[in-house]
Amino acid sequence: MNPKKPAQDLIGEMLIAKGFLHPDDLEKGLQIQETVGGRLGSVLLRIGAISEDLLLQTLSEQLSMPYLKDSEALPDTLLMYQFMVESPIKTDWFIDQSVILWDTDEAINCVARDLFDHAILDTLTYFYPDKEPKFHLAANHQIDRLLDFIKKERAVEELFSSNNARQLRELAEEAPVIELVNNIFSQAVDAGASDIHVEPSEENFSIRLRVDGVLHTQLTQPADRFAAVSSRIKLISGIDIAERRLPQDGRISIRISGQEMDIRVSTAPCVFGESIVLRLLPKEREELSLKFLGMETDHLSLFTGWLEASNGIVLVTGPTGSGKSTTLYAALDDTNDGIKKIITVEDPVEYQMANITQIQAHSEIGYTFARALRAILRQDPDVIMIGEIRDLETAEIAIQSALTGHLVLSTIHTNDAISVFTRLIDMGVEPFLVSSPIRGVQAQRLVRKVCTQCAEPAQPSTLIEKELASLPADLVANSWVKSVGCPACHQTGYSGRMGIYEMVPMTTELQEMIVSGATLNEMKQLAAAQGHRTLYQDGLIKAASGLTTLQEIARVTLAEH
């Protein structure tokens, strides 16, 4: 489509007719145009008579030309760049003329600063004789954003295609690489991601973000850029750049998008290079409090009761990424009243907390959880938090600490709460030592919260009526919803996460079953008889309150249920 220059009086009349422009401003704009020249629309923008958005809306109607707003879906910017690089037209011409080009089956699509420049039409017609150019209107800031991306990509290409054999460290300190990595961090923080996954393959590498527990591909880059990106991440996280055969761990403290962040970095060798995973840990988190974790009132009362004890063990269990550490930190915050000595042993220290002594274990130099625990018992602690009970030695010291007057908080890996007891016995702990010091065990999972902007009412399946009838009536509402998807939640239907919990306090009956060697199923039957609900049942309560959906509860608890 050949853009024709709009009649100046017509565009002015249209703007006035739509109520976008005052007649006095039009008269003033025409006077200035006679003096300095230029297009009437540009003059009206310069004197502040009209916004660019309203002007482009009117031009779109007048010229029957699509207007690409920010909300409009454009092709992927990297695909645009690749098309322009492979074009017979030099990239410098696109930048000099402020022209963006992309291809579709029907036409060569074009956005330009000045669509009425005949040189642009002539150039496109000459180099693409088989396709008619299709012009689009776009705001200047949109064009600037696209051109800025083109310039950066070209700089990165030139850097990586250089014949000069740069050292990895020098490559990692080049401006385009720094900017690319910083941009990845910013996109992750803005998206609310918990992890960044950098995954190489044969021809490219992808950047995937874990948002609300689900991975989304954010960016794909050519494979020849991976060495620079991985080296940059290693450099700023204190990891050996040259070592690519062994797994490594590092840490970054950085300010991104106005937030102070700790980033935990892990590298692992793979077929096409190294898989890199970065865990994002905000230094300031409001949700590090028990009341923000999503516990029902009875669960919250039970858990805080455990924490009020002067001694004993409280264990939190669940798979990796189920929020165990967040629960422990929230528990520490709840017990941190200023008069207790609280010491933690962690690997690594995820969140730094005030008035708490936090110790980093280093197993590679022999400073294990067990060795650190022996040392801190001489520090006269009231509360001890152990990052994870991984072996018999750590378990025995934790139990002895609890029996000698300390409150011990820790995590352990099992599928449900009752399995904690059999897990400790399998480690080699005597059954009577398992039953004596433990105050309670908690299993948990994280489920996605439904997006409040697009959720719609729903009716529960009749298949769960029996389960609902077994739950406390005062906790089961009737506000069922289903996820839909909207721009606010990136079409996922969910925004944010919350916990679902299974809590089992140690009772006399349970102690007797543990000591007598009862089976796992027998202990589960006892817990059910005592009214302790499963993860699935707690999830149903959340779904009935309209906080999440039945589909999400089924996804997370399917294996357990």
Side-chain angles (χ1 to χ4, degrees):
M1 179 175 61
N2 186 354
K4 296 179 181 179
K5 185 174 179 179
Q8 304 286 27
D9 56 341
L10 181 58
I11 189 67
E13 291 172 7
M14 290 183 69
L15 290 169
I16 291 173
K18 290 177 173 293
F20 295 163
L21 181 68
H22 194 277
D24 292 345
D25 288 328
L26 175 59
E27 187 64 31
K28 182 179 178 182
L30 289 170
Q31 291 174 2
I32 295 174
Q33 185 190 29
E34 288 179 6
T35 305
V36 301
R39 306 246 159 78
L40 178 61
S42 299
V43 173
L44 293 174
L45 285 176
R46 284 202 299 269
I47 65 175
I50 190 172
S51 70
E52 186 180 28
D53 181 52
L54 295 179
L55 175 63
L56 291 174
Q57 285 182 38
T58 308
L59 282 172
S60 176
E61 181 180 330
Q62 181 194 24
L63 302 172
S64 299
M65 187 181 296
Y67 169 31
L68 300 178
K69 293 186 177 182
D70 288 340
S71 58
E72 295 288 339
L74 276 169
D76 182 78
T77 47
L78 189 58
L79 293 177
M80 278 185 176
Y81 171 73
Q82 289 171 346
F83 176 74
M84 291 164 67
V85 167
E86 294 167 2
S87 166
I89 306 172
K90 290 185 177 180
T91 308
D92 286 335
W93 181 85
F94 292 116
I95 295 172
D96 292 341
Q97 300 297 321
S98 297
V99 173
I100 305 295
L101 216 60
W102 70 97
D103 187 27
T104 58
D105 293 337
E106 302 81 21
I108 294 293
N109 299 273
C110 177
V111 168
R113 191 92 64 190
D114 186 357
L115 288 174
F116 308 107
D117 185 347
H118 288 292
I120 295 175
L121 177 62
D122 293 342
T123 302
L124 296 181
T125 304
Y126 176 79
F127 284 102
Y128 296 99
D130 298 331
K131 284 192 175 184
E132 181 182 358
K134 181 179 180 181
F135 292 89
H136 303 262
L137 293 167
N140 277 315
H141 71 85
Q142 179 90 315
I143 295 172
D144 288 338
R145 180 181 66 83
L146 293 171
L147 287 172
D148 188 49
F149 180 83
I150 299 300
K151 292 174 186 176
K152 290 175 182 175
E153 284 296 307
R154 188 175 67 159
V156 172
E157 285 284 2
E158 290 173 352
L159 173 65
F160 295 143
S161 62
S162 172
N163 293 324
N164 209 355
R166 291 184 172 90
Q167 296 296 322
L168 286 174
R169 181 176 293 275
E170 293 173 351
L171 192 63
E173 292 176 343
E174 292 288 343
V177 180
I178 294 173
E179 193 161 353
L180 177 60
V181 172
N182 288 346
N183 188 43
I184 292 169
F185 289 167
S186 297
Q187 289 180 26
V189 172
D190 292 342
S194 60
D195 302 88
I196 303 171
H197 292 247
V198 185
E199 300 169 331
S201 61
E202 186 173 6
E203 296 182 353
N204 52 47
F205 71 95
S206 61
I207 308 294
R208 297 204 291 169
L209 306 182
R210 189 179 293 280
V211 181
D212 296 336
V214 179
L215 282 171
H216 304 275
T217 300
Q218 184 75 8
L219 183 67
T220 301
Q221 293 277 299
D224 57 6
R225 300 184 182 181
F226 178 75
V229 171
S230 62
S231 296
R232 176 63 189 170
I233 294 172
K234 286 181 173 183
L235 180 67
I236 60 178
S237 59
I239 292 176
D240 184 0
I241 290 178
E243 180 56 73
R244 285 174 285 184
R245 300 167 300 169
L246 297 173
Q248 297 187 83
D249 295 308
R251 199 180 189 97
I252 306 168
S253 290
I254 192 171
R255 184 174 179 83
I256 312 169
S257 297
Q259 295 187 52
E260 295 290 338
M261 303 288 294
D262 276 333
I263 303 177
R264 200 170 72 200
V265 182
S266 171
T267 69
C270 62
V271 175
F272 297 108
E274 292 174 284
S275 172
I276 304 175
V277 177
L278 303 96
R279 170 67 56 89
L280 305 180
L281 305 166
K283 289 187 177 180
E284 296 181 5
R285 292 184 57 170
E286 292 182 358
E287 65 267 28
L288 284 181
S289 175
L290 290 176
K291 61 183 179 181
F292 291 121
L293 298 184
M295 294 182 185
E296 299 298 326
T297 52
D298 58 338
H299 276 174
L300 182 59
S301 176
L302 184 61
F303 194 76
T304 52
W306 296 344
L307 299 179
E308 289 169 359
S310 60
N311 59 71
I313 300 178
V314 177
L315 291 173
V316 179
T317 185
T320 301
S322 60
K324 300 187 300 297
S325 296
T326 301
T327 299
L328 287 185
Y329 280 112
L332 290 180
D333 182 72
D334 190 73
T335 58
N336 190 9
D337 54 10
I339 61 174
K340 293 188 180 76
K341 174 74 172 182
I342 302 175
I343 302 181
T344 73
V345 183
E346 306 167 66
D347 184 19
V349 175
E350 293 193 4
Y351 301 110
Q352 296 175 0
M353 303 185 71
N355 302 320
I356 293 178
T357 302
Q358 295 175 270
I359 297 173
Q360 168 79 56
H362 291 284
S363 56
E364 64 274 11
I365 61 172
Y367 193 46
T368 60
F369 278 119
R371 187 169 179 181
L373 277 171
R374 290 193 187 94
I376 66 174
L377 286 174
R378 295 190 290 271
Q379 295 276 314
D380 189 29
D382 297 297
V383 180
I384 301 169
M385 192 268 270
I386 307 169
E388 182 185 348
I389 294 179
R390 301 174 180 173
D391 51 46
L392 175 61
E393 188 178 14
T394 304
E396 287 178 337
I397 297 173
I399 290 168
Q400 291 301 325
S401 301
L403 292 173
T404 53
H406 304 89
L407 178 63
V408 179
L409 312 178
S410 188
T411 70
I412 191 169
H413 281 287
T414 61
N415 288 328
D416 54 57
I418 295 294
S419 298
V420 167
F421 308 124
T422 55
R423 173 81 177 108
L424 289 171
I425 292 171
D426 289 343
M427 279 185 183
V429 180
E430 293 293 337
F432 73 92
L433 286 177
V434 173
S435 64
S436 299
I438 293 179
R439 296 285 177 182
V441 291
Q442 171 189 291
Q444 67 178 70
R445 300 290 186 276
L446 291 178
V447 296
R448 293 179 292 173
K449 294 191 289 186
V450 72
C451 174
T452 56
Q453 309 244 357
C454 62
E456 294 182 356
Q459 287 298 320
S461 169
T462 55
L463 297 175
I464 63 171
E465 288 179 354
K466 185 177 179 181
E467 288 276 14
L468 292 174
S470 67
L471 299 175
D474 60 323
L475 294 179
V476 181
N478 190 25
S479 302
W480 305 89
V481 294
K482 64 179 179 180
S483 61
V484 179
C486 66
C489 61
H490 305 289
Q491 305 300 328
T492 63
Y494 299 93
S495 179
R497 288 191 291 176
M498 66 188 307
I500 56 173
Y501 302 94
E502 175 190 8
M503 295 191 186
V504 178
M506 183 63 73
T507 62
T508 303
E509 296 86 352
L510 190 54
Q511 284 180 326
E512 291 173 354
M513 293 188 82
I514 293 171
V515 173
S516 64
T519 66
L520 184 62
N521 283 334
E522 289 172 340
M523 287 189 282
K524 285 184 178 181
Q525 289 172 8
L526 174 65
Q530 293 178 337
H532 306 304
R533 58 183 176 271
T534 63
L535 290 166
Y536 176 71
Q537 291 172 329
D538 195 53
L540 289 181
I541 293 174
K542 303 292 194 299
S545 301
L547 298 173
T548 186
T549 65
L550 280 172
Q551 291 78 10
E552 178 67 5
I553 298 302
R555 180 184 72 85
V556 173
T557 65
L558 184 61
E560 289 79 12
H561 184 58

